[in-house]
């Protein structure tokens, strides 16, 4: 501000460098040299952000399967061979991309939806009702949040592993561990809950459910009570209030909770990698790990890059679409503890 | 802002509807009873046994299963497990160090970049904001796989990038740093009791990329709620830029940044997929954190009894971490009310 009042005394270069670049009519001035400095800084940060993204996108559009010997950050060709190869034959096993995609979608959507449905009434009860065991039950629900998902992997693995359907021969089927085949008969294994998508899904819900309750309760707490009080004066009973007033009001947060569950379990790896052994049950993130682990040297990098882009894309799209709600929800929840 | 939300009105209990809350809680508790509480109890029981692969079929009824009391716990604390390169307290210290150093880098960087993006009249502001959010939206496991390949010692982009930089300064050699496999720590004195290998620094770089944008998002939201007249008043009083930053921006950002830092700490503390995909805990378990080691115990080593005991310990560590961080968050909440 002080600069603009005495411009005539200075030479041209100095005037040029200190001219206001803030386009807005009000607000403080931003001299050109400062603007250029900030631009330089922003571009350096932008480079840091874009470096791995450009690197992997460039690789994924390359038709050459060998690793590049020099750094390339701008695609020199736009070949879709790598994508075609990944979609055609994602792993060494005879499993199609569609099956992998189906498994991933089934798991992530199923977990997100079931956790949401089970959680919503509990969240409402904790948010609105006052009852004797409220504090105790709330601690019970939220204590598992202190445990990382991997922390429950052992007992879930062992318990589900013991749940088997056995063909005992002669048309008899036993459900272990409740019913066993006749003594002396070993039987053949028909179904092991541990080695199935259903089992992994159950294990994931165990982690997703407390989070969904916590996330929904945090939001329900922010809905003003006036509407409900008005409805109750008009003679609505608590069930009507819940289904006809609170649920419709909470739809945005229900969607956010569902999508958080979805994107969280779309990339879930620990449980599925521990539980599943059959290639036809594999998910996309397990396939991605197969491309990086000890087998990485045999995988062409352009295919690995294409797979990374494919796994990342749905999460990125959903996140960008819901960005405002997701970060808002997480931070307001964090403040309340 | 937050204090308004936390106020809970006293609900009006009705005797005739005394059972209703329990009815609403029933589905969640039925499900959690079977897949959370029962497994938690089962975990505790298994942690007192020598459960191994041979007991998988019959579980706790297995005739060869022995109850061995606290032996698993003692073995874990005294490095008595049949596992190479395992010392519990080294991993515990490294785990805390890993989480704290991450947050200490992410929060200041996030705040500074948010302040930069908040400068009035900055050109292409919207473009930068959109660009800087990108790391938040990429799944951590993809981030880790991509960065793992970037740090590949033969063909990785990082060594290629360093080679390019070296050439600018007249260097002719091809940079060949074995980021993820070399054990010798570059700065030996940095963390007493545990080596910080090159893999640690590689992971810090990769996780820095992943971590600061979230802090920027939070800080940007908080910055926009700071009233502008505070800065105008400071201008009139002749305050310098750094004075305004330290006396207005930082104190007013604190109530928003402390919970974000706590969240980031918890996230980094249990960053399973990232660590597992990036280094797998190696080399020689030097970048192992508690959750990856627990996973190794059950997935590869198949020591189910020890894994259960280890998970019980993780649970207690998690509780202690929560109690500490919760106290910190509470302390800042009361700060906002002053």
């Amino acid at each position: 501000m002080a600069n603009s009042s005495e411009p005539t005394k200075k030479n041209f270069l100095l005037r040029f460098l200190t001219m206001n670049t803030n386009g807005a009519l009000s607000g403080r001035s931003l001299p050109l040299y400062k603007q250029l400095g900030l631009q330089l800084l922003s571009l350096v940060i932008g480079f840091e952000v874009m470096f791995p993204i450009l690197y992997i996108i460039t690789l994924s559009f390359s038709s050459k399967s060998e690793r590049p010997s020099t750094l390339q950050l701008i695609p020199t060709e736009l070949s879709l061979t790598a994508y075609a190869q990944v979609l055609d034959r994602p792993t060494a096993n005879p499993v199609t991309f569609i099956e992998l995609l189906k498994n991933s979608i089934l798991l992530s959507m199923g977990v997100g939806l079931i956790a949401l449905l089970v959680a919503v009434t509990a969240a409402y009860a904790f948010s609105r009702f006052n009852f004797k065991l409220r504090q105790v039950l709330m601690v019970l629900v939220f204590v598992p949040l202190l445990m990382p998902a991997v922390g429950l992997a052992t007992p879930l693995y062992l318990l589900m592993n013991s749940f088997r359907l056995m063909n005992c021969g002669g048309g008899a089927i036993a459900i272990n561990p409740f019913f066993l085949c006749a003594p002396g008969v070993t039987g053949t294994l028909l179904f092991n809950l541990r080695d199935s998508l259903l089992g992994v899904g159950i294990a994931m819900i165990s982690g997703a459910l407390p989070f969904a309750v916590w996330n929904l309760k945090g939001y329900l707490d922010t809905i003003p009570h006036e509407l409900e009080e008005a409805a109750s004066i008009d003679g609505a009973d608590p069930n009507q209030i819940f289904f006809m007033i609170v649920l419709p009001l909470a739809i945005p947060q229900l969607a956010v909770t569902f999508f958080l569950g979805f994107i969280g379990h779309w990339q879930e790896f620990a449980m599925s990698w521990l539980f599943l052994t059959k290639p036809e049950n594999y998910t996309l993130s397990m396939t991605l790990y197969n491309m990086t682990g000890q087998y990485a040297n045999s995988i062409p990098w352009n295919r690995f890059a294409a797979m990374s882009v494919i796994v990342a894309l749905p999460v990125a799209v959903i996140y960008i679409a819901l960005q405002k709600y997701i970060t808002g929800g997480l931070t307001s929840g964090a403040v309340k503890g | 802002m937050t204090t308004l939300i936390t106020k809970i009105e006293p609900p009006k209990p009705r005797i005739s509807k005394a059972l209703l809350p329990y009815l609403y809680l029933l589905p969640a508790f039925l499900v959690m009873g079977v897949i959370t509480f029962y497994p938690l109890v089962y975990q505790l029981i298994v942690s007192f046994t020598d459960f191994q692969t041979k007991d998988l079929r019959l579980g706790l009824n297995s005739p060869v299963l022995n109850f061995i009391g606290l032996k698993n716990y003692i073995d874990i604390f005294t490095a008595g497990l049949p596992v190479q390169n395992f010392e519990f307290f080294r991993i515990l210290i490294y785990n805390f160090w890993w989480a704290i150093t991450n947050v200490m880098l992410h929060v200041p960087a996030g705040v500074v970049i948010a302040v930069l993006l908040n400068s009035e009249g900055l050109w292409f502001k919207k473009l930068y904001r959109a660009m800087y959010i990108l790391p938040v939206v990429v799944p951590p496991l993809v981030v880790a796989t991509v960065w793992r390949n970037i740090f590949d010692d033969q063909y990785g982009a990082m060594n290629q990038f360093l080679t390019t930089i070296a050439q600018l300064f007249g260097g002719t050699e091809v940079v060949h740093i074995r980021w993820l496999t070399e054990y010798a720590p570059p700065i030996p004195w940095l963390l007493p009791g545990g080596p910080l290998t090159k893999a640690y620094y590689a992971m810090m770089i990769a996780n820095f990329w992943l971590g600061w944008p979230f802090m920027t998002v939070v800080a940007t939201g908080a910055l926009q709620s700071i009233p502008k007249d505070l800065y105008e008043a400071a201008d009139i009083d002749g305050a310098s830029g750094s004075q305004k930053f330290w006396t207005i921006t930082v104190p007013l950002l604190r109530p928003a940044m402390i919970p974000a830092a706590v969240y980031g700490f918890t996230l980094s503390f249990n960053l399973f997929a990232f660590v597992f995909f990036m280094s797998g805990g190696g080399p020689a378990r030097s970048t192992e954190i508690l959750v990856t080691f627990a996973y190794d115990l059950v997935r590869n080593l198949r020591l189910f009894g020890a894994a259960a005991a280890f998970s019980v310990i993780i649970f207690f560590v998690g509780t202690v971490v929560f109690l500490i961080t919760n106290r910190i968050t509470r302390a800042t909440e009361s700060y906002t009310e002053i």
Side-chain angles (χ1 to χ4, degrees), chain A residues 5 9 11 25 45 47 62 86-87 102 104 145 154 165 238 241 248 261 265 268 282 285 296 301-302 313 321 327:
Chain A
S5 60
K9 297 248 165 149
N11 66 31
L25 290 174
I45 299 166
F47 175 75
S62 159
V86 167
L87 294 182
K102 192 196 76 191
S104 281
L145 283 176
T154 314
L165 287 183
I241 292 177
H265 295 93
E268 207 283 339
Y282 275 26
S285 30
W301 277 30
N302 57 349
L313 214 53
T327 45

Side-chain angles (χ1 to χ4, degrees), chain A residues 17-240:
Chain A
L17 284 178
T18 53
M19 78 178 180
N20 184 12
T21 59
N22 184 358
L25 290 174
S26 61
R28 65 192 52 230
S29 63
L30 188 64
L32 184 65
Y33 73 92
K34 244 182 179 172
Q35 173 78 269
L36 292 179
L38 293 179
Q39 287 296 328
L40 186 69
L41 204 56
S42 304
L43 284 175
V44 169
I45 299 166
F47 175 75
E48 191 256 358
V49 168
M50 294 311 288
F51 178 77
I53 298 176
L54 286 176
Y55 175 66
I56 211 71
I57 290 177
T58 306
L59 265 182
S60 77
F61 282 125
S62 159
S63 63
K64 297 187 210 74
S65 56
E66 68 262 30
R67 304 174 181 206
S69 55
T70 54
L71 186 62
Q72 287 182 345
L73 292 179
I74 314 286
T76 48
E77 55 176 339
L78 280 178
S79 154
L80 293 176
T81 12
Y83 287 95
Q85 282 171 334
V86 167
L87 294 182
D88 182 47
R89 199 180 147 82
T91 62
N93 300 308
V95 55
T96 64
F97 180 82
I98 299 295
E99 283 178 276
L100 295 174
L101 182 69
K102 192 196 76 191
N103 292 340
S104 281
I105 289 181
L106 214 64
L107 270 181
S108 45
M109 290 219 166
V111 169
L113 196 66
I114 293 173
L116 176 68
L117 290 179
V118 177
V120 66
T121 54
Y124 181 68
F126 284 139
S127 172
R128 288 298 195 273
F129 295 121
N130 197 10
F131 47 96
K132 254 188 190 163
L133 295 171
R134 185 170 178 274
Q135 290 298 330
V136 179
L137 294 181
M138 236 162 82
V139 169
L140 265 184
V141 170
F142 294 140
V143 151
L145 283 176
L146 302 177
M147 189 87 149
V150 176
L152 265 180
T154 314
L156 286 170
Y157 180 92
L158 297 177
L159 288 169
M160 292 208 216
N161 192 53
S162 65
F163 189 93
R164 298 149 186 259
L165 287 183
M166 304 294 286
N167 183 358
C168 306
I173 287 177
I175 307 173
N176 290 357
F178 309 110
F179 307 101
L180 301 173
C181 289
V185 182
T186 37
T188 51
L189 182 67
L190 292 178
F191 172 78
N192 185 348
L193 184 61
R194 189 263 304 165
D195 200 358
S196 70
L197 286 178
L198 180 67
V200 180
I202 293 172
M204 290 184 192
I205 289 171
S206 146
L209 186 57
F211 177 76
V213 176
W214 176 72
N215 197 19
L216 284 172
K217 181 194 169 285
Y219 182 77
L220 291 178
D221 286 346
T222 68
I223 297 182
H225 295 223
E226 280 80 6
L227 277 176
E228 292 155 64
E229 282 158 15
S232 117
I233 291 168
D234 288 347
D237 67 40
N239 285 323
Q240 284 173 322

Side-chain angles (χ1 to χ4, degrees), chain A residues 39 42 121 155 239 267 270 273, chain B residues 24 43 128 132 140 160 295 299:
Chain A
Q39 287 296 328
S42 304
T121 54
N239 285 323
Q267 46 184 308
W273 188 247
Chain B
Y24 273 68
Q43 168 139 287
Y128 291 131
Y132 294 176
Q160 290 171 353
Y295 193 72
R299 174 74 175 54

